[in-house]
Amino acid sequence: MGVLLFFASNPWIDVGSYIPKVIVVNDDIDPSNINQVVWALATRHHPDKTIVMAKQQVLPLVAYLDQAEKKEALTTKVIYNCLPSDEWPKDYAPLEASFASYPEELRNRILNNWESYGF
């Protein structure tokens, strides 16, 4: 977290340049896999540890900006720290709950009965 805070607070470094939202993940998360990124956001990000920077440069093409923000090309930027917590015990990580991790027999039974469950 110290490195992240350094980048976020150092005026000489252009954090994320014109990107208004940055999600920081560890090397065990594939940033091109949206399921892994959402999992990291859900299990590792603590809302109290979000880094918020007001009045930062942004591309005026960002869809959610109001007209004043687009004209100024300024908005609030956010960094979501989805790195494993330093406070977790060694060798601890949240378990990933996914259908793929269920025993094959159970998965097949569920899939074979899917329509009878009303789906």
Side-chain angles (χ1 to χ4, degrees):
M1 181 76 171
V3 172
L4 229 129
L5 287 175
F6 169 77
F7 283 110
S9 63
N10 191 324
W12 301 107
I13 298 175
D14 205 6
V15 178
S17 194
Y18 289 94
I19 301 170
K21 299 173 189 173
V22 176
I23 299 174
V24 181
V25 296
N26 206 3
D27 61 1
D28 64 329
I29 301 296
D30 176 0
S32 69
N33 183 325
I34 191 66
N35 292 332
Q36 288 185 20
V37 173
V38 169
W39 178 82
L41 189 60
T43 61
R44 294 182 177 174
H45 173 68
H46 192 294
D48 287 346
K49 296 181 181 178
T50 299
I51 298 171
V52 179
M53 300 169 290
K55 298 290 184 187
Q56 300 292 309
Q57 289 182 327
V58 69
L59 287 174
L61 300 175
V62 176
Y64 64 80
L65 297 178
D66 62 31
Q67 292 304 311
E69 289 172 313
K70 287 182 181 191
K71 184 176 180 179
E72 294 177 340
L74 296 175
T75 192
T76 299
K77 291 187 179 184
V78 179
I79 300 175
Y80 298 97
N81 178 3
C82 298
L83 299 171
S85 174
D86 293 336
E87 297 172 8
W88 289 348
K90 187 178 180 199
D91 298 329
Y92 169 81
L95 296 175
E96 181 178 354
S98 77
F99 189 64
S101 67
Y102 291 12
E104 185 177 359
E105 180 183 329
L106 179 58
R107 283 184 304 187
N108 289 336
R109 187 172 55 201
I110 291 169
L111 291 173
N112 290 336
N113 293 308
W114 194 247
E115 287 184 27
S116 68
Y117 299 145
F119 299 106

